[in-house]
Amino acid sequence: MAQQPTTPGGPLNVIGKRGPNIDAVERVTGRAKYTGDIDIPGMLVARVLRSPHAHARIASIDTSKAEAFRGVRAVITYKDAPKVMIWGNRQYALNNPVRFKGEAVAALAAVDAETAEKALKLIAVQYEPLPFVLDPEEALKPGAPQLFEDGNLEGMPRILNRGNIEQGLKESDKVIERMYHCPTMWSGGMEPRACVAQWEGDKLTLWASTQSPFRVHGSLAAMFGVPDGNVRIIASYVGGGFGTKSAPHTDESLAALLARKARLPVKLQYSREEEILDSNTRFETRIYVRVGVKKDMTINALELKAYINQGAYHTRLGGLGNQATHTYKTVNVRTEQYRVHTNIPNTGPTRGVGDPQEDFAVESALDEIAIEMGWDPMEFKLKNIKRNGDPIARGPAGVEDGRLITQVLDRCIELGAARIDWTRRNAAAGGQPGPKARGIGIALTERGGGGGVGGASVKVNLDGSAMVFYSSTDIGTGSRTTLAMIAAEVLSIPLSMFRTTAGDTEVAPYDGGSQGNRTLQGTGRAVQAAARDALDQILAAAGPMLDNTAPADLEMRDSVIRVKADPSKSVKLADVMQRRGRSAVGLGNTTAPQTGMNVERTTAAHFAEVEVDRETGKVRLLRYIAAHDLGRPINVTVVENQIEGGSIQGLALTQGEEMRFDKRTGGCLTGSFLDLKPPTMMDFDPRLIEAIIVPNEGVTGPYGAKGLGENPCHPGMAAVANAIYNAIGVRLREVPFSRGAVLAGLNAQRPAGSRTA
Amino acid sequence: MSDEERERADKASVSRRAFLKGGAAATGALTAALIPGTAEAQLPDATEPDTRHSTVEMTVNGRLYRADVPNSTTLAQFLREDLKLTGTKLGCDRMQCGACTVVVNGRNVYSCTTLALQATGAEVLTIEGLAKDDALHPIQQAFIEHSGFQCGFCTSGQIMTTKVMLDRMPNPTEDQARLALAGNLCRCSAYKKILESVMAASRMMRA
């Protein structure tokens, strides 16, 4: 459904195909260098001393013994930390007071790890413990321990209002009120945080495991008061991020401070325990929902009041998404968000920012009210979703000042329902007799993507090979591949001739970073523009070799430039480049892609089928269908990989990954993979996950592509909760869905006399 | 068991005890580093780590290496820091994720919790040794063709585990392959493409 042509001329040669990743050889041979693999002669090793208290003032700190210890080159405490916040987020590199158990108190750099670990024990700290609070609602009550002078609430409550919620609820035929809870959940990648800092005079080079090199770049330039051009961030290969590496982080500041003090390069690599403890993980949400419907199946009112546990500081990013406001044609909508500081570690946006948590609340509540009204939840959702031409907000405000285009959520629902055979769903929840019962559930989701400033350059070399330079990163999303494919399509240079340099703020232009569905659309449009720029230069240089034909009358196909009117007249790209004698460098800089009234969103419908064992409470996944609108796929293999992996990540939230904190000490009780139980190949049989790419073409992204990465992770919790309800009639409103919770729900169904204690 | 093998086994068992001691000390040090006050109050003083050095000698990717290293050096440290073979990754350092998997005498082991000393005399294969000259191993080719990875940080481990499984079981069922790879986490959860890659590698190696 092309709204306007995005591809001048002929069919696509590269885009939309399957194919291996452009950096696959590096990744499967061990040649890809991740930050922890960086080795600089003379490099020191850093270790961090962490707070034993959830909240404490540092009364005194004596580092003299550590400094005198043989092999120690630098020790830093809060006194050494510049009074510039890491990223405008209330947090200095080192803080006094410390606000969570495990927060950095001091750091040192030594000649090797053993020396550094021994020397850490020589730092003498006297703490004055302060009262602490772990729960976001408790933290807002009068008399609660205060983390900051201006209180525990971060900024103003975010309130979005459309229509009149109270009147909408009053005029509804049925209203339900529910609360849905998602705990703090660990969402880090396989690669623990790592960075290497090196100063040459007042120029800082920092290798970092980050999704957003230019955010780190800006953060450190400000912290050290050096010109922007004196900082270089390199994040060539990043071992997963999922949002936890989207904001500047303490470790980067600590490494840079130590390296400057020691006048030697410093590597700071977190252990897994440290990574879990201090990694901006997925925030806890407690979402109170009120939803009202009319008898004609319309959603008349939808209200969300969310308490978000930011932890000690914050990342400046986060909060809920737009599940409540942008998916359905609801006239009366209100969302209230309270971002609350507590004495748990920092949290932040992770895969879907707050969307999975919000999706769990909205998609569960709508399932509940539909069932209470005797409606088919899928029919109910199909009736209420926004469709093309419907009003929708362009920005974060509530006013619906735009209109929706290129939406195929209805097709996602229809194709997904057909694949899982929705007609097999139990007409009455829990109706199947016997110890094992099966059920099917649906959850929708939506998101924007591609916003922000994008920049990239494309260089065609003298031999006709080509490079894509961009400062965002490939955290596993395949952006090196898809961005190179965009350039290959524009230039018609074979993909095999391309190489990419990712994540380098010195060689590539400013770019917004790899988060929030944005790289493919935001950076992708910049790559497209850069490739066109390079192509113009090449055609201009080819003209004199082809009877002075004007560039507009030339075209390049498979690295051969021909006269359009007479294709027998041709010249090879390499010959043009040799004659030109200098490389062709194209630049692309783009701003927010959505202009005018049109609003493009990325949507999906997920369907889960589960089997619940009534005797053990075990929930087994039988099938999972993930039908996505992502515009035109750039690389089908990459898209499938994102949908399949993201779906499993969403499902993982239903079974584990909860971070638990000791109420008496505030300490994290889940500091290892054994506690957090990230799924292995045995937990969810990957063959059960089926991706459906719903045919579509957008208008704002390169070649009609829309961003995708976040969405597959959103609907898992709600789809599974709705399927469990369909199987056994038990409604789970808290994740993870433990066996105990399932059994407790079943027990509550029994007549009072036959319940087990 | 030849004398030489017995001697090696004895050495390994001695060093294993030393390692366990060293390991406990290392854990104590880490806990202390994380939570100094409570650690000192609740935990006994950590035993000093084994500071003795030993000469380790092993064949890694077909080359013989000999080095004097502290007894507490893990195989992962030896490979990454002494031999600069950084293709082997450390995801947890607690044998919980499998990113550090290498092949020792035909067995897949977590190199984060194997001592370099234990591998003395062994044939070690890492991701860097899988390709012969410029020719990629069929498992690597399969992982490329089927995109059996996303961020790639766990990939070396996934491939080395696959290597051992297919050497022993050239024609596994999908369920056997899943079970064999259950000790290798992938946080990107690219499991579907990993499984496809493994099955494709099995077909390629049998062809």
Side-chain angles (χ1 to χ4, degrees):
Chain A
M1 50 179 311
Q3 307 275 325
Q4 66 183 57
T6 50
T7 323
L12 298 173
N13 297 306
V14 184
I15 304 289
K17 306 273 193 296
R18 293 183 161 277
N21 287 45
I22 192 171
D23 55 354
V25 172
E26 285 78 5
R27 305 243 195 210
V28 305
T29 54
R31 291 212 298 266
K33 289 279 180 212
Y34 296 76
T35 305
D37 304 333
I38 304 287
D39 189 19
I40 301 174
M43 185 173 74
L44 304 174
V45 177
R47 287 289 186 272
V48 180
L49 182 74
R50 297 183 177 278
S51 168
H53 300 288
H55 195 190
R57 186 165 303 283
I58 298 168
S60 73
I61 185 162
D62 180 0
T63 59
S64 56
K65 281 185 184 161
E67 281 168 59
F69 194 72
R70 188 185 171 88
V72 171
R73 295 287 180 269
V75 185
I76 53 171
T77 71
Y78 72 92
K79 294 170 197 164
D80 300 278
K83 289 289 166 274
V84 178
M85 292 173 196
I86 291 174
W87 201 45
N89 61 349
R90 292 176 179 265
Q91 186 178 18
Y92 303 112
L94 293 158
N95 299 273
N96 186 12
V98 285
R99 296 181 176 87
F100 69 92
K101 184 164 173 163
E103 182 176 344
V105 170
L108 58 79
V111 290
D112 57 35
E114 200 183 333
T115 306
E117 282 161 18
K118 278 183 181 166
L120 268 193
K121 292 192 231 173
L122 302 176
I123 300 175
V125 190
Q126 281 196 313
Y127 297 95
E128 289 170 5
L130 300 168
F132 61 88
V133 61
L134 306 176
D135 181 286
E137 285 186 87
E138 292 296 323
L140 288 182
K141 289 182 179 164
Q146 300 292 297
L147 277 80
F148 296 98
E149 280 177 8
D150 59 343
N152 295 334
L153 187 62
E154 177 60 38
M156 298 291 286
R158 283 188 195 166
I159 295 173
L160 184 149
N161 212 0
R162 187 161 82 222
N164 185 326
I165 191 67
E166 293 304 334
Q167 197 176 335
L169 288 166
K170 206 162 72 183
E171 291 171 358
S172 295
D173 295 313
K174 170 87 182 169
V175 173
I176 62 168
E177 295 185 29
R178 298 286 186 270
M179 193 276 275
Y180 301 89
H181 180 236
C182 294
T184 310
M185 289 184 268
W186 178 71
S187 44
M190 285 301 295
E191 177 198 29
R193 302 192 69 89
C195 52
V196 175
Q198 182 176 31
W199 288 90
E200 292 153 298
D202 63 350
K203 181 179 187 295
L204 170 66
T205 303
L206 184 104
W207 289 262
S209 177
T210 181
Q211 297 170 229
S212 310
F214 261 108
R215 287 181 176 171
V216 178
H217 185 116
S219 151
L220 293 176
M223 180 173 288
F224 290 97
V226 296
D228 199 57
N230 281 22
V231 177
R232 179 183 191 181
I233 308 297
I234 303 172
S236 187
Y237 285 92
V238 179
F242 314 116
T244 62
K245 296 171 181 170
S246 61
H249 195 77
T250 317
D251 62 335
E252 296 135 1
S253 306
L254 295 180
L257 279 166
L258 285 168
R260 194 178 61 162
K261 195 163 182 181
R263 298 176 181 276
L264 284 168
V266 169
K267 179 190 278 188
L268 175 54
Q269 169 109 49
Y270 275 14
S271 68
R272 177 54 61 189
E273 291 85 339
E274 287 178 295
E275 195 278 335
I276 291 166
L277 202 57
D278 185 18
S279 71
N280 293 344
T281 198
R282 184 183 297 285
F283 46 76
E284 175 189 15
T285 56
R286 206 169 291 157
I287 304 180
Y288 295 85
V289 181
R290 289 198 292 171
V291 54
V293 294
K294 291 206 161 183
K295 280 182 186 147
D296 65 358
M297 279 176 91
T298 56
I299 305 169
N300 199 47
L302 181 55
E303 182 191 57
L304 268 61
K305 188 186 272 189
Y307 294 91
I308 294 168
N309 193 345
Q310 292 275 179
Y313 306 93
H314 69 124
T315 60
R316 243 171 64 183
L317 312 161
L320 302 184
N322 295 103
Q323 306 301 327
T325 54
H326 282 45
T327 312
Y328 299 100
K329 296 182 285 203
T330 311
V331 181
N332 304 301
V333 179
R334 182 179 169 86
T335 61
E336 264 179 57
Q337 300 182 46
Y338 298 86
R339 292 172 296 143
V340 188
H341 291 288
T342 69
N343 297 103
I344 68 163
N346 274 5
T347 66
T350 57
R351 202 161 190 176
V353 189
D355 287 291
Q357 296 96 311
E358 182 185 5
D359 196 83
F360 176 47
V362 171
E363 293 298 307
S364 294
L366 293 179
D367 199 75
E368 291 201 44
I369 200 164
I371 290 165
E372 289 201 20
M373 295 298 286
W375 302 329
D376 177 330
M378 183 187 74
E379 295 297 331
F380 170 58
K381 287 176 180 179
L382 256 177
K383 179 176 165 59
N384 283 283
I385 55 168
K386 285 184 190 292
R387 293 166 189 255
N388 287 318
D390 281 340
I392 188 166
R394 286 185 291 180
V399 183
E400 296 195 305
D401 52 358
R403 71 187 158 86
L404 186 61
I405 60 162
T406 75
Q407 179 89 320
V408 291
L409 181 54
D410 51 345
R411 291 295 293 152
C412 294
I413 297 171
E414 288 159 8
L415 290 172
R419 180 77 69 88
I420 203 157
D421 191 359
W422 181 255
T423 59
R424 294 185 299 119
R425 178 181 167 274
N426 301 319
Q432 292 173 22
K436 289 182 180 174
R438 296 182 170 196
I440 299 178
I442 178 178
L444 312 182
T445 193
E446 76 88 59
R447 204 178 200 287
V453 176
S457 62
V458 171
K459 181 173 78 161
V460 179
N461 301 310
L462 295 189
D463 62 354
S465 64
M467 297 280 305
V468 176
F469 296 93
Y470 67 110
S471 66
S472 290
T473 48
D474 187 338
I475 52 176
T477 52
S479 66
R480 284 177 187 265
T481 306
T482 50
L483 295 177
M485 287 171 78
I486 290 166
E489 186 71 56
V490 172
L491 284 157
S492 196
I493 293 173
L495 187 61
S496 59
M497 298 294 282
F498 274 84
R499 286 176 54 221
T500 55
T501 291
D504 190 327
T505 63
E506 188 159 279
V507 303
Y510 180 87
D511 187 80
S514 291
Q515 67 277 321
N517 278 355
R518 79 158 291 283
T519 317
L520 186 61
Q521 274 199 20
T523 317
R525 288 168 73 250
V527 169
Q528 194 178 19
R532 281 190 189 131
D533 183 3
L535 180 62
D536 289 345
Q537 296 170 37
I538 292 163
L539 296 181
M545 299 169 77
L546 293 165
D547 304 337
N548 285 322
T549 309
D553 298 324
L554 296 173
E555 64 178 2
M556 182 151 75
R557 289 266 171 240
D558 291 329
S559 295
V560 176
I561 296 110
R562 294 177 199 281
V563 178
K564 281 182 194 166
D566 182 2
S568 70
K569 288 181 183 165
S570 69
V571 59
K572 287 180 184 163
L573 170 63
D575 293 340
V576 175
M577 296 309 295
Q578 286 291 334
R579 187 170 182 277
R580 189 172 188 254
R582 58 197 163 93
S583 45
V585 180
L587 282 175
N589 287 293
T590 53
T591 50
Q594 310 228 128
T595 52
M597 289 278 289
N598 292 342
V599 176
E600 198 168 75
R601 308 290 289 184
T602 304
T603 57
H606 283 203
F607 295 80
E609 182 176 9
V610 301
E611 181 182 79
V612 185
D613 186 326
R614 287 192 170 101
E615 290 170 354
T616 64
K618 182 166 174 55
V619 178
R620 188 161 72 95
L621 187 75
L622 299 177
R623 211 167 172 200
Y624 197 81
I625 311 295
H628 281 259
D629 164 27
L630 42 108
R632 186 201 296 276
I634 299 292
N635 181 316
V636 173
T637 315
V638 168
V639 164
E640 286 175 353
N641 214 344
Q642 285 298 303
I643 295 176
E644 292 155 4
S647 293
I648 293 177
Q649 284 199 340
L651 288 165
L653 302 175
T654 67
Q655 73 157 28
E657 307 194 359
E658 176 184 8
M659 283 179 65
R660 289 190 294 275
F661 299 94
D662 187 338
K663 287 190 173 61
R664 296 162 305 163
T665 66
C668 177
L669 299 169
T670 50
S672 79
F673 284 142
L674 292 184
D675 302 304
L676 295 163
K677 303 183 193 72
T680 70
M681 210 184 279
M682 296 304 286
D683 291 294
F684 296 105
D685 183 341
R687 293 168 295 180
L688 306 176
I689 315 292
E690 296 172 49
I692 298 177
I693 302 172
V694 177
N696 194 16
E697 187 182 336
V699 298
T700 50
Y703 295 101
K706 300 180 182 180
L708 168 70
E710 310 278 18
N711 295 42
C713 191
H714 297 178
M717 289 184 281
V720 170
N722 295 343
I724 291 172
Y725 184 84
N726 188 240
I728 56 170
V730 170
R731 178 59 65 177
L732 298 177
R733 302 188 186 92
E734 290 194 47
V735 287
F737 306 142
S738 67
R739 294 185 190 197
V742 171
L743 291 176
L746 285 167
N747 199 29
Q749 286 177 342
R750 298 196 181 101
S754 67
R755 286 180 198 164
T756 51
Chain B
M1 204 185 256
S2 71
D3 286 351
E4 195 191 329
E5 279 172 332
R6 194 169 296 116
E7 195 185 318
R8 206 180 293 149
D10 285 347
K11 241 190 203 168
S13 90
V14 168
S15 58
R16 175 150 181 79
R17 279 197 296 275
F19 172 64
L20 288 174
K21 218 169 110 187
T27 310
L30 179 97
T31 315
L34 284 171
I35 38 172
T38 47
E40 275 158 30
Q42 293 165 9
L43 297 173
D45 278 351
T47 317
E48 277 298 301
D50 186 348
T51 52
R52 288 171 297 168
H53 282 53
S54 299
T55 301
V56 297
E57 185 180 293
M58 68 184 85
T59 306
V60 180
N61 301 333
R63 282 190 185 176
L64 187 67
Y65 293 89
R66 183 184 298 139
D68 184 60
V69 297
N71 288 359
S72 58
T73 304
T74 65
L75 182 57
Q77 285 174 324
F78 182 68
L79 294 170
R80 285 180 55 83
E81 294 167 22
D82 293 85
L83 305 190
K84 309 294 180 198
L85 295 171
T86 55
T88 299
K89 305 298 182 199
L90 285 170
C92 69
D93 214 12
R94 292 288 181 278
M95 56 181 187
Q96 294 173 1
C97 79
C100 65
T101 305
V102 299
V103 183
V104 178
N105 291 336
R107 293 180 59 220
N108 49 324
V109 304
Y110 289 164
S111 63
C112 71
T113 27
T114 303
L115 285 176
L117 210 52
Q118 285 174 287
T120 287
E123 295 269 347
V124 177
L125 182 69
T126 74
I127 190 74
E128 289 92 344
L130 209 49
K132 287 285 165 271
D133 299 318
D134 284 339
L136 293 176
H137 190 279
I139 299 172
Q140 291 170 313
Q141 288 174 25
F143 270 74
I144 291 172
E145 281 169 28
H146 294 267
S147 294
F149 60 87
Q150 284 182 29
C151 80
F153 199 80
C154 72
T155 308
S156 303
Q158 304 278 2
I159 288 176
M160 299 319 282
T161 301
T162 302
K163 167 82 168 67
V164 172
M165 175 186 64
L166 293 180
D167 283 349
R168 291 185 194 170
M169 198 193 321
N171 191 11
T173 64
E174 288 182 342
D175 282 332
Q176 286 170 327
R178 280 170 64 213
L179 196 56
L181 286 157
N184 290 79
L185 280 181
C186 169
R187 272 301 278 171
C188 305
S189 299
Y191 291 126
K192 191 164 183 177
K193 299 272 183 269
I194 293 172
L195 185 59
E196 287 169 11
S197 304
V198 172
M199 299 312 288
S202 162
R203 289 191 296 274
M204 286 161 72
M205 287 167 71
R206 281 181 285 117

